[in-house]
Amino acid sequence: MSYVTGFLTPVKTEDKERYIASAQKSWPLFQKYGALEQIECWGEDIPPGKVTGFDLAVKLEPGEVVVFAWLKWPDRATADACWQQMEADPAFADMDMPFDGKRMMWGGFAPVFEGK
């Protein structure tokens, strides 16, 4: 079954085009390592959290937007291999990362249902 790596990160509103360009540049690299799909979503309706929420999870600051993204892989082994290999790939080292990586979160998920 497929595998998903999910990401949540704050990005400055003024860096939207820069973020999109970075995502577009990263797609061929992820695809080279076996990714089936890359989805990048710019937050539009993010209600303020009281106990928890997307804004609180990334410690959103004024002038920032929450970005929610994921990569779909054929399986976990392919995703794990990508993360190991990308550390040595100079193409990844040259990527523009227009966000605060310290407040980014990510994780791997095994789908339990896929509706299509």
Side-chain angles (χ1 to χ4, degrees), residues 20-107:
I20 293 168
S22 176
Q24 290 170 333
K25 186 176 178 183
S26 70
W27 171 236
L29 299 172
F30 286 123
Q31 197 172 27
K32 175 175 102 172
Y33 287 106
L36 303 173
E37 181 178 61
Q38 177 179 349
I39 305 291
E40 304 280 343
C41 305
W42 192 258
E44 288 190 5
D45 183 19
I46 311 295
K50 294 193 179 9
V51 176
T52 190
F54 286 111
D55 59 331
L56 298 174
V58 299
K59 297 183 178 178
L60 197 66
E61 296 177 359
E64 293 180 332
V65 171
V66 177
V67 170
F68 175 58
W70 65 91
L71 292 162
K72 186 173 183 180
W73 306 92
D75 51 49
R76 182 176 178 176
T78 303
D80 289 347
C82 173
W83 302 127
Q84 290 173 353
Q85 294 170 335
M86 72 184 273
E87 292 177 13
D89 189 330
F92 277 108
D94 293 338
M95 292 297 300
D96 179 26
M97 302 294 193
F99 52 84
D100 182 352
K102 293 177 188 150
R103 292 185 289 140
M104 177 185 194
M105 61 189 66
W106 65 92

